């Protein structure tokens, strides 16, 4: 981290942190996605217990709901999956799943949400689904601002192979001398 | 009428349900879908999802390591 973040409000502090993470990983969000991420982080900053949630059960439960209840549940699942895969990737290892497991559930949730909403909000969630990996890359960069790697080299390799994450590709290139040629041409 | 095969092997629930959903959205009522899975949870999850969305489970074939679920797409088509 470059230094202390001395912003007057909590929102401004999170925004400064998101900006710093974007610069650190050279990935940039448009204003809508940046605001969504800032408010998401603000909302969950005081809810560490959210990591106990079981996303598979929540996703399947959302399928039996209708209307606004369904939309709320899908949004909640998408948001949690984004946080799990970006801020708490070690959670996947503890639950014996890949990080991309949360990515797939999160993207599907946002995509379904966008299909069932009016045009204005629909485009936001569609955009979130498409830019999910960019958001995860930024959250990984945010974790690394403190000086600790978000992913081990093996996790980075796996995540890159599963999702095509540009940041993980760079981490793999920086950490090793060779990338399997067949894989390197397929992804990224 | 066509049969679409969804390969959801080595995926954990609810990803086979998500893959099935993605395939069914593109199909017409009456089309057939065969979902290949390895997670035993699909034996409960996919029929439950079909019941909610109006699709018919025609057959569940459990082999030693693989499960094949045959679905007929219902009128809702989603």
């Amino acid at each position: 981290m470059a230094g202390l973040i001395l912003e007057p409000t909590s929102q401004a502090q999170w925004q400064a942190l998101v900006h710093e993470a974007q610069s650190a990983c050279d990935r940039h969000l448009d204003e809508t996605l940046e605001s969504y991420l800032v408010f998401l982080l603000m909302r969950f900053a005081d809810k560490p217990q959210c990591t106990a949630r079981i996303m598979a059960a929540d996703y399947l439960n959302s399928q039996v709901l209708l209307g606004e209840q369904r939309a709320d549940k899908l949004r909640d699942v998408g948001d949690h999956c984004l946080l799990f895969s970006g801020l708490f990737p070690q959670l996947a290892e503890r639950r014996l799943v890949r990080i991309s497991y949360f990515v797939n559930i999160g993207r599907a949730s946002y995509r379904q949400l966008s299909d069932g909403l009016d045009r204005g909000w629909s485009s936001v969630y569609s955009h979130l689904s498409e830019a999910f990996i960019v958001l995860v890359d930024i959250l990984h960069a945010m974790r690394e601002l403190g000086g600790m790697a978000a992913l081990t080299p093996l996790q980075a390799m796996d995540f890159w192979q599963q999702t095509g994450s540009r940041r993980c590709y760079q981490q793999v290139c920086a950490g090793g001398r060779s990338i399997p040629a067949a894989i390197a041409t397929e992804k990224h | 009428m066509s049969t679409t095969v969804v390969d959801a092997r080595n995926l954990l629930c609810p990803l086979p349900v998500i893959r099935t959903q993605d395939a069914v959205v593109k199909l017409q009522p009456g089309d057939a879908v065969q979902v290949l899975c390895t997670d035993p949870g699909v034996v409960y999850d996919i029929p439950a999802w079909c019941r909610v969305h109006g699709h018919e489970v025609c057959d569940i074939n459990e082999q030693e390591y693989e499960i094949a679920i045959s679905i007929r797409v219902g009128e809702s088509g989603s």
Side-chain angles (χ1 to χ4, degrees):
Chain A
M1 218 175 292
L4 290 174
I5 294 177
L6 299 170
E7 303 294 339
T9 63
S10 157
Q11 183 191 338
Q13 286 174 0
W14 281 113
Q15 195 148 22
L17 195 57
V18 169
H19 278 165
E20 202 177 329
Q22 288 182 74
S23 303
C25 67
D26 195 25
R27 312 247 23 200
H28 297 280
L29 299 172
D30 66 24
E31 199 181 339
T32 312
L33 289 191
E34 189 183 291
S35 304
Y36 192 92
L37 186 59
V38 167
F39 283 101
L40 177 69
L41 291 166
M42 281 174 64
R43 226 161 4 113
F44 286 96
D46 56 350
K47 290 182 185 167
Q49 72 278 16
C50 74
T51 53
R53 299 270 299 269
I54 307 294
M55 287 299 102
D58 285 350
Y59 178 83
L60 290 171
N61 286 337
S62 75
Q63 299 302 304
V64 296
L65 299 174
L66 292 170
E68 208 166 308
Q69 278 186 319
R70 182 167 197 235
D72 286 345
K73 192 76 170 176
L74 285 170
R75 186 183 306 114
D76 194 45
V77 172
D79 291 348
H80 275 86
C81 285
L82 181 54
L83 289 177
F84 286 4
S85 47
L87 281 187
F88 310 113
Q90 69 279 16
L91 195 67
E93 195 174 5
R94 283 214 300 272
R95 293 190 183 176
L96 305 178
V97 294
R98 289 175 148 153
I99 301 165
S100 59
Y101 171 80
F102 292 122
V103 170
N104 288 328
I105 298 176
R107 288 181 106 158
S109 300
Y110 284 144
R111 196 172 54 240
Q112 274 191 37
L113 192 52
S114 90
D115 290 343
L117 289 174
D118 295 337
R119 208 167 53 180
W121 280 106
S122 168
S123 70
V124 173
Y125 290 107
S126 154
H127 201 170
L128 277 166
S129 170
E130 287 159 15
F132 204 96
I133 300 301
V134 178
L135 290 160
V136 171
D137 279 354
I138 290 168
L139 290 172
H140 285 170
M142 191 181 288
R143 275 199 72 111
E144 292 181 3
L145 291 174
M148 284 180 65
L151 302 178
T152 64
L154 277 178
Q155 284 174 325
M157 174 69 112
D158 185 56
F159 193 65
W160 165 55
Q161 288 182 342
Q162 295 291 315
T163 66
S165 156
R166 191 203 295 175
R167 180 171 171 75
C168 286
Y169 174 76
Q170 286 164 345
Q171 188 179 338
V172 169
C173 290
R177 294 212 172 91
S178 62
I179 303 275
I183 296 171
T185 52
E186 275 173 24
K187 297 281 178 183
H188 194 71
Chain B
M1 202 180 293
S2 62
T3 300
T4 303
V5 177
V6 176
D7 186 356
R9 287 174 294 185
N10 303 316
L11 295 178
L12 297 173
C13 274
L15 299 181
V17 177
I18 292 171
R19 290 280 168 92
T20 308
Q21 260 172 330
D22 291 346
V24 165
V25 163
K26 298 172 193 154
L27 299 176
Q28 300 298 318
D31 284 350
V33 181
Q34 190 182 44
V35 192
L36 305 176
C37 317
T38 44
D39 184 342
V42 298
V43 173
Y44 307 101
D45 292 344
I46 290 183
W49 177 81
C50 286
R51 201 166 48 244
V52 170
H53 291 269
H55 308 301
E56 182 193 351
V57 176
C58 305
D59 182 47
I60 299 178
N61 182 11
E62 292 186 59
Q63 301 290 328
E64 195 175 359
Y65 297 111
E66 204 170 293
I67 302 157
I69 301 180
S70 300
I71 299 168
R72 176 93 43 215
V73 177
E75 289 299 322
S76 73
S78 65

